[in-house]
Amino acid sequence: MAEANPNSNPGVLETLGEEIVRIVAPVSACMLLVVLLVTALSSSSGGGLASIATIAYSDDSSDSFWDKLKGALLSSLSFVVLITLLTFLLVLLFYLRCTRFLKSYMAFSSLVVLAFLGGEVFLLLISRFYVPIDVVTFSLLLFNFAVVGVLAVFLAKVPIMVNQGYLVIIGVLVAYWFTLLPEWTTWALLIAMSLYDLAAVLLPGGPLRLLVELAISRDEELPALVYEARPVEHLPGAGTRLWRERRDLASNSSSNSNILEAGDPASQDTSLVIAEEGPSVSALTAPFLQQQLERHGEVELEGIGLSSSGAIKLGLGDFIFYSVLVGRAALYDFMTVYACYLAIMSGLGITLLLLAFYRKALPALPVSIALGIIFYLLTRASLEVFMVQCSTNLLMF
């Protein structure tokens, strides 16, 4: 039996740990900024947010338990139905080769987020901390902030740190406004979007699955807002993004390099974690996946491809909903925030491990959101009571 060289082939935990670190840093930064915003502006943000998530029901403190539950379920169902319709519309436009229109729409959406949502957050911060600034200066700074952000994300070649920073900022702004939703609606929405993520990715007729298969058949990139991390290791012969069908993998699998990628085709609320491979490209090497490919002799992937930089990619939908969960926890106490953060990171790691074993497209939201909600409930129901009792006993002695 052949034995791997420990000097040239790092272990499974070391390799996956190095890859996960590339995702943990930006996700942690996004969640931290949302927690800081929620903590600083919780008393000055006013009432709830009026949006499509509350179009069916608006929470009222005088409502009964069952009224809040039914209203939250109705609101989350309305939101998911709308997102489903928009995603199918995205598939249709992509099928009709309206790629330029889709990218222009995404750029306009990013401009709205940075200019209007960002401007509102900045005004709240200025009011909260009494920052002396005049209207002209504020307008000029906000205009430059928004325009540079759109150029950095879509239209210009900028340093990767600038692109990454603006993507995180967009995620922070959207996530903060989602935390203004009523509590029951927020939890129902998180659960509903996790279930939608499962259906959209795994079902044969799921919109995200259709979108990925369409991109594979055309050898095209998905129009998406995704965070691209720096590659861990470069291989010679960098090339453009390639999409391969499953039938092409048998002859190329021995020379292929593997990466882990999480993408959000709709750039809105859901994302995929995809194992991708292609010949002779600059890629993030994943020895554990390579060992699995060599062991089984063939690949069973739903979506195959490589980015030109070979970096890990994670859709902004994950950033947003992870941060919404932690931001909602921040409205309660910081002990719950720590528990939810650790649960989300654990879920992300589990998702990547499942990706390595099953080697097929997987939704990135369900595991992390499920663990986050479970730990939130456990912390509020048991850990907090335990800590209060311990503190009381210490004070008595």
Side-chain angles (χ1 to χ4, degrees):
M1 183 177 66
E3 183 176 356
N5 184 357
N7 295 326
S8 60
N9 190 11
V12 173
L13 295 180
E14 178 183 351
T15 302
L16 291 181
E18 191 173 11
E19 294 166 354
I20 291 174
V21 165
R22 304 290 172 172
I23 302 177
V24 169
V27 173
S28 300
C30 185
M31 289 191 288
L32 175 62
L33 291 175
V34 171
V35 169
L36 293 177
L37 283 178
V38 169
T39 304
L41 303 178
S42 58
S43 60
S44 59
S45 56
L49 175 66
S51 68
I52 57 176
T54 57
I55 192 173
Y57 170 75
S58 182
D59 189 39
D60 194 334
S61 57
S62 61
D63 291 341
S64 64
F65 170 82
W66 292 110
D67 289 337
K68 291 182 178 181
L69 180 60
K70 290 187 294 184
L73 293 176
L74 184 60
S75 296
S76 60
L77 179 61
S78 302
F79 187 84
V80 169
V81 169
L82 180 60
I83 292 300
T84 304
L85 294 177
L86 291 177
T87 309
F88 275 113
L89 177 61
L90 174 65
V91 175
L92 178 61
L93 292 175
F94 190 64
Y95 175 77
L96 298 176
R97 301 184 182 277
C98 301
T99 306
R100 181 172 297 181
F101 170 78
L102 292 175
K103 292 184 178 180
S104 300
Y105 170 75
M106 291 165 54
F108 175 75
S109 300
S110 300
L111 179 65
V112 171
V113 170
L114 293 172
F116 290 93
L117 298 186
E120 184 67 22
V121 170
F122 293 150
L123 287 176
L124 292 174
L125 290 174
I126 290 172
S127 176
R128 172 67 175 81
F129 296 103
Y130 303 101
V131 179
I133 186 172
D134 60 90
V135 176
V136 177
T137 303
F138 175 79
S139 301
L140 183 62
L141 292 176
L142 181 61
F143 175 80
N144 282 273
F145 170 76
V147 172
V148 171
V150 174
L151 294 176
V153 174
F154 294 100
L155 305 176
K157 297 295 183 181
V158 298
I160 189 172
M161 295 297 293
V162 178
N163 179 273
Q164 291 173 338
Y166 268 104
L167 287 173
V168 171
I169 290 173
I170 292 174
V172 169
L173 294 175
V174 176
Y176 170 73
W177 287 106
F178 267 104
T179 61
L180 300 182
L181 293 173
E183 182 177 8
W184 285 78
T185 303
T186 302
W187 295 116
L189 184 61
L190 288 173
I191 296 173
M193 290 307 302
S194 299
L195 296 177
Y196 165 79
D197 204 14
L198 278 172
V201 176
L202 299 182
L203 291 181
L208 297 184
R209 181 164 180 167
L210 292 176
L211 195 64
V212 171
E213 291 176 350
L214 183 59
I216 292 173
S217 64
R218 292 181 175 178
D219 289 349
E220 295 181 4
E221 273 196 64
L222 293 170
L225 274 176
V226 294
Y227 178 94
E228 182 174 354
R230 293 181 181 273
V232 177
E233 182 179 349
H234 290 279
L235 297 179
T240 59
R241 183 182 184 91
L242 300 174
W243 290 94
R244 302 291 183 187
E245 294 192 31
R246 187 181 305 181
R247 61 176 178 268
D248 297 330
L249 295 177
S251 60
N252 297 333
S253 60
S254 60
S255 62
N256 287 347
S257 300
N258 300 274
I259 67 169
L260 298 176
E261 173 178 343
D264 184 359
S267 71
Q268 297 172 355
D269 307 296
T270 59
S271 61
L272 307 177
V273 180
I274 304 173
E276 302 185 334
E277 69 173 5
S280 301
V281 295
S282 174
L284 171 66
T285 59
F288 177 58
L289 290 178
Q290 183 66 33
Q291 294 169 9
Q292 296 290 328
L293 295 177
E294 294 172 354
R295 181 181 307 171
H296 293 278
E298 66 176 302
V299 185
E300 299 177 356
L301 298 177
E302 299 299 333
I304 311 301
L306 270 177
S307 64
S308 58
S309 65
I312 301 174
K313 290 187 176 182
L314 186 65
L316 285 189
D318 290 324
F319 282 75
I320 292 170
F321 285 102
Y322 293 165
S323 301
V324 168
L325 198 155
V326 177
R328 172 54 62 178
L331 294 173
Y332 189 67
D333 63 9
F334 282 102
M335 184 168 57
T336 310
V337 171
Y338 302 146
C340 291
Y341 170 78
L342 294 177
I344 290 173
M345 291 297 102
S346 300
L348 187 58
I350 292 173
T351 302
L352 293 177
L353 285 174
L354 291 175
L355 172 66
F357 281 105
Y358 289 101
R359 306 185 310 281
K360 61 180 296 186
L362 296 175
L365 282 178
V367 178
S368 294
I369 295 299
L371 289 178
I373 293 176
I374 291 173
F375 272 73
Y376 176 86
L377 296 176
L378 290 177
T379 303
R380 291 195 60 171
S382 60
L383 184 58
E384 183 190 10
V385 176
F386 174 76
M387 295 299 295
V388 170
Q389 290 178 350
C390 289
S391 301
T392 304
N393 293 334
L394 288 176
L395 290 175
M396 292 177 62
F397 289 102

